[in-house]
């Protein structure tokens, strides 16, 4: 049984971990334990009672409340803050009932004096060592109450630890920068106020005391939500550490009318004793096997037309580009911005989702048919949440955008944001996009969003105008969900000027994420490694482009993109025969081992400064792929000595270093020491030998790379 229940205690058990909570003698629902699974129910410490600390700190300040509400003499961060119709602004919750149904637990709490019910939901994902939580608040009274904060969960850490918080920061073009900082007394707040998940922070987090990549206790989690969110890491004066996560309460109020229920997004968290790497692999499996709309689907090699065309697209040029792409081994041709009515630059056309009659006089079907005849599938770029003032849609419905009536409407990238909280806007987008997908054979949609919110007003909102922050995302999910049901064959990509909408909420609808507009390979390396802390490689679309350091070879650029979902975004019309040869060979190699990359276990290998190495091992441990990169180190430099991971110790493996065709047309290795020939096979060695320290020396010059494949003999 995943959940052990008594009248006053509950133990949630996964394959290797346990999460325990219960009622103390005061009837308060408190956290009891979170860590390795123990043998007996009696091994879990009982619910603790604290009576307070002087007249300045009541019991609420000391007890590890499972879901603290703003009430009484408690000064910790609350999960819930409500104003009642009579103006009372606290919520005193009392335990009412519990219900266990298989892997799910519902704990019902009620306000001591008001007709308000709070239900805490828990779902055990046993095979992934994860616990999912969300909260429902129901108004059982006769008057409307105001929800001013309603978070999804409070995660209590083992008491007394000195924890480090790891998280991601960044900005547009510079996302996915890992941060690690010790938590000290007080509250550390991470958040988005931008209407999307944001480039600046991501709701993924880990806590540890002294863990490393492959060793040590790590608690980790994220929030499945694609809008404003908050994470509050609190250390109290009494050495208690907790993570609170959920909807951002900044500028937020929700009018909960009589009989209505408000439901928060899901928070997901887990514990691992295997360091950060094990935590990542847990989340990768969970995403691939439970969230993605097309689990196990092959990630096709994409060509995207943006850098070769910008806005200057038409039927003839796209057909010509498609022929070149097909010759490289591309499987999916995606036409980017510029294809729809009036779209010659970024100041017009958004909102009018019909093919431009000048560029495509016969619609998109002739282009789609030509692409199919070349053995490829057809995809399309759209930006449905936006509208240009110079568009038929805006001229017809100017009040459909997010705005304050008395303020000037800020245009960023010459566009405004449609209010997806409105059902008429949702219906328009569903109908417009359905019309395209119903008339053209399209396999892939790149859904973009190229600005953040301003003037967050909703003059005729059905409730409080500040409900916009939540209703917008609910509307977005309705649009994506409806389109997914109507067109289940379509693969959707989430893009918001790069990594502005990367979260577990959007992955219920999108199979792939565009993690950054930055395609400079030396910057992409650390960004991609950081992204893979939470998200699997199958979701990480990675393009080879012409952007970046001129001294970096095409092979290096392609290798960087090949440990994600490979795409080509370069101007391939300018590639010479040697460059096309490089692309053909490496794309063919990628197709041979991508099943390992996208479905296997990922290991970030230990490397000295200037080097990066990633290994992916198939689930049956019969195959593995190793990527190795060197950026810049003054010569002379020692070889990169790798210690591999994840192999079967008793099995034997051979290692094949794949051929690297260089841009002069030859097929020799271009690394140090000079004269090393690629496409070498080493003799068989046991998995234990390959996993010993320094077992695999890799000779690399500056800005050099290698891909190696191990196969069980």
């Amino acid at each position: 049984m995943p959940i052990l229940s008594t009248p006053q205690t509950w133990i949630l058990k996964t394959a290797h971990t346990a999460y325990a909570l219960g009622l103390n003698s005061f009837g308060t629902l408190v956290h009891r334990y979170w860590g390795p699974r123990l043998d007996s129910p009696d091994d879990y410490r009982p619910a603790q009672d604290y009576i307070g600390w002087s007249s300045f700190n009541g019991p609420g300040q000391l007890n590890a409340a499972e879901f603290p509400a703003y009430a009484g003499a408690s000064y910790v961060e609350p999960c819930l803050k409500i104003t009642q119709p009579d103006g009372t602004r606290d919520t005193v919750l009392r335990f009412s009932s519990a219900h266990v149904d298989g892997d799910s637990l519902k704990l019902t709490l009620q306000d001591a004096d008001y007709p308000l019910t709070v239900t805490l939901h828990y779902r055990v994902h046993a095979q992934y060592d994860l616990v999912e939580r969300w909260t429902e608040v129901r108004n059982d009274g006769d008057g409307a109450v105001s929800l001013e904060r309603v978070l999804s969960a409070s995660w209590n850490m083992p008491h007394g630890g000195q924890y480090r918080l790891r998280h991601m920061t960044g900005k547009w073009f510079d996302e996915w920068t890992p941060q690690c900082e010790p938590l000290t007394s007080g509250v550390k707040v991470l958040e988005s106020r931008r209407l999307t998940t944001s480039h600046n922070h991501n709701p993924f987090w880990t806590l540890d005391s002294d863990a490393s990549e492959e060793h040590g206790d790590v608690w980790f989690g994220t929030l499945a939500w694609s809008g404003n969110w908050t994470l509050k890491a609190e250390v109290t004066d009494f050495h208690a550490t907790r993570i609170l996560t959920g909807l951002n309460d900044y500028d937020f109020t929700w009018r909960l009318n009589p009989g209505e229920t408000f439901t928060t997004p899901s928070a997901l968290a887990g514990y691992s004793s295997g360091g950060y790497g094990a935590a990542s692999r847990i989340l990768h499996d969970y995403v691939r096997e439970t969230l993605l709309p097309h689990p196990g689907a092959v990630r096709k090699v994409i060509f995207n037309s943006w850098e070769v065309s910008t806005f200057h697209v038409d039927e003839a040029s796209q057909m010509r580009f498609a022929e070149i792409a097909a010759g490289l081994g591309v499987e999916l041709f995606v036409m980017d911005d510029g294809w729809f009515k009036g779209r010659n630059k970024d100041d017009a056309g958004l909102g009018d989702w019909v093919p431009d009659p000048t560029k495509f006089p016969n619609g998109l079907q002739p282009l789609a048919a030509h692409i199919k005849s070349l053995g490829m599938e057809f995809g399309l770029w759209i930006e449905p949440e936006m509208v240009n003032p110079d568009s038929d849609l805006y001229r017809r419905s100017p009040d459909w955008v997010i705005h304050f009536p008395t303020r000037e409407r800020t245009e960023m990238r010459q566009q405004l944001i449609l209010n997806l909280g409105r059902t008429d806007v949702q219906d328009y987008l569903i109908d417009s996009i359905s019309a395209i997908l119903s008339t053209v054979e399209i396999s892939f949609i790149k859904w973009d969003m190229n600005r953040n919110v301003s003037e967050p007003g909703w003059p005729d909102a059905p409730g409080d105008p500040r409900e916009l922050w939540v209703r917008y995302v609910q509307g977005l999910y309705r649009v994506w969900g409806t389109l997914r049901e109507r067109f289940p064959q379509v693969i959707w990509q989430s893009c918001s000027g790069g990594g502005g909408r990367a979260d577990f909420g959007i992955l219920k609808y999108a199979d792939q994420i565009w993690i950054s507009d930055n395609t400079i390979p030396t910057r992409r390396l650390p960004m991609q490694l950081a992204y893979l802390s939470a998200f699997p490689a199958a979701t990480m679309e990675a393009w080879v482009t012409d952007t970046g350091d001129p001294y970096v070879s095409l092979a290096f650029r392609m290798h960087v993109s090949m440990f994600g979902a490979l795409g080509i975004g370069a101007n391939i019309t300018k590639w010479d025969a040697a460059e096309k040869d490089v692309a053909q060979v490496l794309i063919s190699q990628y197709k041979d081992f991508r099943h390992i990359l996208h479905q296997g276990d990922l290991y970030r290998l230990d490397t000295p400064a200037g080097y990066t190495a990633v290994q992916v091992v198939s689930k049956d441990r019969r195959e593995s792929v190793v990527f190795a990169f060197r950026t810049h180190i003054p010569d002379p430099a020692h070889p990169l000595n790798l210690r591999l991971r994840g192999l079967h110790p008793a099995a034997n493996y051979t290692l094949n270093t794949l051929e690297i065709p260089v841009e002069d047309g030859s097929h020799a290795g271009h690394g140090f020491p000079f004269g090393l020939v690629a496409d070498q096979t080493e003799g068989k060695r046991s998995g234990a030998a390959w996993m010993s320290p320094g077992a695999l020396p890799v000779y690399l010059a500056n800005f050099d790379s290698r891909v190696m494949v191990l196969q069980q003999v």
Side-chain angles (χ1 to χ4, degrees), residues 45-330:
R45 75 174 195 145
Q48 298 295 301
D49 295 329
Y50 294 101
I51 60 174
W53 179 267
S54 81
S55 61
F56 294 96
N57 294 286
Q61 194 73 7
L62 281 77
N63 286 302
E66 184 70 7
F67 191 79
Y70 175 67
S74 175
Y75 310 104
V76 298
E77 284 289 325
C79 287
L80 185 68
K81 187 176 185 302
I82 290 176
T83 297
Q84 294 288 346
D86 63 3
T88 299
R89 301 195 310 279
D90 70 352
T91 304
V92 179
L93 296 178
R94 298 281 187 261
F95 176 76
S96 175
S97 64
H99 178 72
V100 176
D101 183 9
D103 60 4
S104 297
L105 168 67
K106 289 197 304 185
L107 300 177
T108 302
L109 314 175
Q110 291 184 322
D111 190 281
D113 303 296
Y114 290 87
L116 183 85
T117 301
V118 176
T119 303
L120 308 182
H121 290 264
Y122 299 77
R123 179 178 295 135
V124 179
H125 298 278
Q127 73 183 91
Y128 306 106
D129 289 327
L130 294 171
V131 175
E132 180 183 4
R133 292 178 59 183
W134 68 98
T135 302
E136 291 180 344
V137 181
R138 188 178 74 243
N139 180 5
D140 298 314
D142 298 326
V145 302
S146 294
L147 303 183
E148 296 160 12
R149 176 185 290 186
V150 53
L151 302 183
S152 298
S154 173
W155 304 100
N156 291 272
M157 298 299 119
H159 189 272
Q162 300 293 316
Y163 294 101
R164 300 181 299 184
L165 173 67
R166 290 177 178 256
H167 58 98
M168 305 292 175
T169 62
K171 54 186 178 296
W172 175 80
F173 210 68
D174 192 27
E175 303 93 325
W176 308 104
T177 301
Q179 303 290 345
C180 180
E181 55 191 296
L183 289 180
T184 58
S185 182
V187 181
K188 168 78 175 183
V189 178
L190 306 174
E191 64 178 2
S192 172
R193 303 179 180 182
R194 295 172 177 260
L195 196 66
T196 61
T197 326
S198 92
H199 305 78
N200 308 78
H201 298 283
N202 190 271
F204 168 70
W205 56 271
T206 70
L207 283 183
D208 74 280
S209 294
D210 57 357
S212 63
E213 180 65 23
E214 296 297 330
H215 303 283
D217 298 326
V218 175
W219 292 262
F220 58 95
T222 191
L223 184 72
W225 184 247
S226 306
N228 285 12
W229 58 271
T230 189
L231 181 152
K232 303 177 190 298
E234 181 176 27
V235 180
T236 72
D237 298 330
F238 298 91
H239 311 295
T241 301
R242 55 173 66 91
I243 297 283
L244 290 82
T245 186
L247 299 171
N248 199 336
D249 57 346
Y250 174 80
D251 194 42
F252 168 78
T253 296
W254 187 279
R255 187 173 69 197
L256 193 64
N257 293 314
E260 292 182 344
T261 298
F262 183 88
T263 303
T264 72
S266 288
L268 193 75
Y271 160 82
S272 170
S273 61
Y276 311 121
S280 296
R281 291 186 286 276
I282 287 169
L283 292 175
H284 295 175
D285 286 346
Y286 174 79
V287 169
R288 287 187 300 229
E289 297 170 16
T290 73
L291 289 187
L292 294 184
H294 299 91
V298 172
R299 298 293 181 255
K300 293 182 168 58
V301 179
I302 290 175
F303 174 78
N304 182 282
S305 71
W306 174 248
E307 290 196 11
V308 70
S309 302
T310 65
F311 298 104
H312 308 296
V313 302
D314 57 39
E315 183 177 294
S317 66
Q318 296 299 297
M319 286 183 175
R320 184 171 70 256
F321 303 149
E323 291 165 2
I324 300 172
L328 299 175
V330 168

Side-chain angles (χ1 to χ4, degrees), residues 340-350 388 390-391 414:
F340 47 95
K341 181 181 176 183
R343 189 67 164 178
N344 296 309
K345 53 182 181 176
D346 65 5
D347 63 354
L350 285 175
N388 289 123
D390 185 5
S391 66
Q414 290 77 51

